[in-house]
Amino acid sequence: MPAKKRAATKKTPAGTAGAAPAASKTASAASKTARPAKPESRTALVRRARKIDRELAETYPYAHPELDFENPYQLVVATVLSAQTTDLRVNQTTPALFAAYPTPEDLAAADPEKVEELIRPTGFFRAKTKSIMGLAKALTEDFGGEVPGRVEDLVKLPGVGRKTAFVVLGNAFGRPGITVDTHFGRLVRRWKWTEETDPDKVEKAVGELFPKSDWTMLSHHVIFHGRRMCHARKPACGVCPIAPLCPAYGEGETDPEKAKKLLKYEKGGFPGQRLKPPQSYLDAGGIPAPPLGGTPGGTAG
């Protein structure tokens, strides 16, 4: 009798478009992935990793950097400011900063106390002021006021590490790079792509699974998924499109209805992090973030 019940549940149809399969089917498929009869071969790992990325690309076709910027200077400053805070808070703070100091030369010559006051909402504002004014001075004195397009030059700037460098290279210069932030590191370990915890080692291990041309968009797909669905404490497993490919399926909520309530940003019907998101995001139902003190739902300018 129990065997008949299992067979019946397996025939349950999949859920709505864009959602994961019905819970019982997803659980069955995921459990097969989670408990393989033998260790996963390198070839199988590469295939599974690339299939996950393809699924995420379909789920987030509008994936993009979630910091507002208009040029490489704005992006490198915004990325430095994003440490230990949200992209939303940075996006709500930088309009006033860049209005006051539109070029590296302007920021390098600024009064530090005025800069501190402008970026105070991002936290650690004294240390961040020192970093962004230092990098503005370096850009002015060493690079003619232009952000360099090479990782070896970028990492010499105050406050700029490899993660920030690859954000800038991938999104301001169109040069491939893997951005290993907390979301990226957490998910690739959850998916057993690597056991490494050091960001540089994670970058190398994951980079070997994908062609270089995929690196920048792979970073966006993974980070989008980590922010919206595959949360640190309670992943929304029951609506996850890659559940059958995930070794960690079941760590989070597997009931589809309960899992839906865990979704964030546009997946949950809430505002995103950018005040001025790309049109593709708006077309997909994304809602612009409100400015400081504003209310959500405004249109992007």
Side-chain angles (χ1 to χ4, degrees), residues 19-254:
S24 57
K25 184 176 178 181
T26 305
S28 172
S31 63
K32 289 178 184 176
T33 307
R35 290 182 286 276
K38 56 184 179 180
E40 188 174 39
S41 70
R42 178 71 180 179
T43 300
L45 170 60
V46 170
R47 286 175 179 165
R48 182 170 63 84
R50 294 184 184 187
K51 188 169 183 182
I52 285 175
D53 187 41
R54 288 195 298 272
E55 293 287 345
L56 294 180
E58 289 186 15
T59 304
Y60 310 105
Y62 44 76
H64 57 270
E66 293 191 88
L67 289 168
D68 282 324
F69 71 98
E70 295 177 359
N71 53 54
Y73 159 64
Q74 291 188 1
L75 181 57
V76 70
V77 169
T79 308
V80 171
L81 293 178
S82 71
Q84 305 297 314
T85 190
T86 63
D87 287 356
L88 169 60
R89 183 59 70 190
V90 174
N91 292 337
Q92 292 173 325
T93 304
T94 50
L97 177 70
F98 294 138
Y101 311 110
T103 69
E105 292 86 351
D106 295 324
L107 183 56
D111 178 344
E113 289 187 3
K114 290 182 179 178
V115 176
E116 286 179 3
E117 200 55 39
L118 285 170
I119 68 168
R120 183 183 289 267
T122 69
F124 303 98
F125 57 91
R126 289 192 179 90
K128 289 180 180 180
T129 293
K130 187 176 179 181
S131 290
I132 64 173
M133 290 190 67
L135 77 83
K137 183 179 180 183
L139 290 176
T140 301
E141 295 179 354
D142 302 333
F143 298 100
E146 299 292 330
V147 175
R150 301 192 313 160
V151 66
E152 53 266 41
D153 292 329
L154 285 166
V155 296
K156 293 176 184 175
L157 300 173
V160 177
R162 286 182 69 83
K163 184 188 88 168
T164 297
F166 284 127
V167 169
V168 174
L169 289 175
N171 299 294
F173 293 97
R175 295 174 187 170
I178 292 177
T179 303
V180 183
D181 72 351
T182 54
H183 300 286
F184 191 95
R186 181 181 78 249
L187 266 60
V188 299
R189 285 187 290 274
R190 192 172 266 175
W191 297 335
K192 304 299 182 188
W193 290 4
T194 180
E195 297 294 330
E196 299 289 355
T197 55
D198 177 80
D200 291 352
K201 292 180 180 178
V202 171
E203 176 198 324
K204 183 177 186 299
V206 174
E208 290 172 350
L209 301 176
F210 293 87
K212 198 171 183 180
S213 57
D214 290 353
W215 287 356
T216 299
M217 286 310 300
L218 168 70
S219 300
H220 291 325
H221 297 153
V222 175
I223 293 169
F224 255 60
H225 194 59
R227 284 176 169 164
R228 285 149 178 78
M229 202 172 296
C230 195
H231 312 306
R233 293 184 181 176
K234 202 167 185 182
C237 295
V239 290
C240 181
I242 61 165
L245 300 165
C246 181
Y249 175 82
E251 285 186 9
E253 181 57 66
T254 57

Side-chain angles (χ1 to χ4, degrees), residues 243-267:
L245 300 165
C246 181
Y249 175 82
E251 285 186 9
E253 181 57 66
T254 57
D255 180 88
E257 290 305 313
K258 292 179 180 177
K260 280 182 188 175
K261 295 177 182 177
L262 300 174
L263 298 178
K264 294 184 179 179
Y265 304 112
E266 78 287 347
K267 288 295 180 186

